[in-house]
Amino acid sequence: MNTQCQRILEYFKKQDKTLTSADAWRKLGIMRLASRIHELTNDGYSFHRERKTVINQFHKKSKVVEYQLKEEPL
């Protein structure tokens, strides 16, 4: 498992919160969150995904996906 995936798992275990791609960049230095979530899913982790509409810095609506760790592999 790569370092970025480990950082994501540690974040979920310590914070028990949700994570968006913007949060992953700001808090963890990870730019391609969806790719890392895909890798973790292939490793047996399960995530709840929720699509949300947020207002971006240009005051426009933007759609994001918010991830939350549901289940770890057995």
Side-chain angles (χ1 to χ4, degrees), residues 1-2 11 13-15 17 20 27-28 33 36-37 40 44 46 52-53 56 59-60 63 65 69:
M1 179 180 310
N2 71 44
Y11 175 84
K13 289 176 185 176
K14 289 181 183 176
Q15 303 294 322
K17 293 185 179 182
T20 66
K27 297 175 182 179
L28 304 173
L33 178 62
R36 302 298 77 82
I37 294 292
L40 288 166
S46 177
K52 292 192 168 196
T53 301
N56 66 21
H59 307 288
K60 303 288 183 187
K63 295 186 188 267
V65 176
L69 182 63

Side-chain angles (χ1 to χ4, degrees), residues 35-49:
S35 295
R36 302 298 77 82
I37 294 292
H38 179 74
E39 290 172 1
L40 288 166
T41 300
N42 287 343
D43 286 343
Y45 291 87
S46 177
F47 295 89
H48 172 74
R49 294 164 172 83

